[in-house]
Amino acid sequence: MAMVGRNVAAPLLFLNLVMYFIVLGFASWCLNRFINGQTYHPSFGGNGATMFFLIFAILAAVLGIVSKFLGGNHMRTWRSDSLASAGATSIIAWAVTALAFGLACKQINIGGHRGWRLKVVEAFIIILTFTQLLYLLLIHAGLYSSRYGPGYRDTDYGVGGTTGDPMHKGAGVPVSGTRV
C-alpha cells in the first residue's frame, strides 16, 4: 500500500501524455487552416474565440508534454528532489490548460459552426483540465502522508560527513597534505 500514489499516477501520466499529443496535432492542424484563411473547410469552422483558443491549446499541449517527461522521471526515481521539477511543470501546465479550458467554454458559448476537429480539441482540453488536476494532486499526495508519495521530510540526502552541519556535508574528515 506504500505505492498508492505512484501506481495511480503512472497510468494517468501516460493517458495525459497521449491526450496532450492528440491536442497538439489537432490544434496545430486547425491553427494552420485558420492562418491560411481556410475556415470554410467542412471539418473546421470557427468563431471569434477560435484563434485565442487554438493558441492556448497548443501552448497547453507543449507544456503538458514537457511536464509529462519530467513526471516520467519522477515516477522512475520517486524522490522529493524529482518531485520539485515534476510538480512545478505540472502546475504550470495545468494553469495554461485551465486558461485554454476557459477559452473552450467561451468558444462553445459563442456557438456557430465548429467542425469536428475543433470539437475534438475542445473536448480534450476540457477532459485534460480535470485529469491534469488529478495527476497534480496525486504526485503531491506525499505532502499529507508519506504512504502516498515520497514526502517532503526525507533527511537522508547527502549523508556521509561526521559533522551535523548541513552546509558542510562530508567535510568532517580533515585531509592532510593540502595547502589552503
Side-chain angles (χ1 to χ4, degrees):
M1 194 71 176
M3 297 296 206
V4 172
R6 188 179 196 176
N7 288 339
V8 176
L12 193 58
L13 178 139
F14 181 72
L15 175 71
N16 282 356
L17 178 66
V18 170
M19 289 176 66
Y20 274 124
F21 269 117
I22 291 170
V23 165
L24 183 62
F26 277 115
S28 298
W29 183 90
C30 289
L31 186 64
N32 184 39
R33 292 285 180 171
F34 195 82
I35 290 171
N36 290 341
Q38 299 172 339
T39 56
Y40 59 86
H41 196 275
S43 64
F44 182 60
N47 55 36
T50 301
M51 181 69 151
F52 303 107
F53 168 66
L54 290 175
I55 289 171
F56 275 96
I58 291 172
L59 184 61
V62 169
L63 288 172
I65 290 168
V66 168
S67 76
K68 296 307 162 238
F69 288 140
L70 291 171
N73 181 45
H74 174 59
M75 291 296 149
R76 186 179 58 82
T77 58
W78 202 248
R79 291 175 50 122
S80 294
D81 51 350
S82 65
L83 175 63
S85 62
T89 57
S90 292
I91 287 173
I92 293 169
W94 177 76
V96 176
T97 305
L99 286 171
F101 170 78
L103 289 167
C105 292
K106 181 64 177 178
Q107 180 165 329
I108 292 169
N109 190 26
I110 290 174
H113 171 70
R114 296 179 338 272
W116 68 271
R117 287 185 176 98
L118 270 176
K119 290 179 181 178
V120 165
V121 176
E122 291 167 359
F124 272 70
I125 286 292
I126 291 169
I127 294 167
L128 275 167
T129 302
F130 298 107
T131 57
Q132 179 70 13
L133 180 62
L134 179 62
Y135 167 76
L136 187 62
L137 293 173
L138 284 172
I139 64 171
H140 281 89
L143 175 67
Y144 303 106
S145 173
S146 61
R147 178 175 144 188
Y148 300 111
Y152 291 99
R153 294 171 285 287
D154 291 340
T155 57
D156 59 344
Y157 296 123
V159 176
T162 57
T163 63
D165 186 15
M167 287 296 288
H168 302 97
K169 293 178 184 171
V173 180
V175 179
S176 61
T178 60
R179 291 177 33 183
V180 178

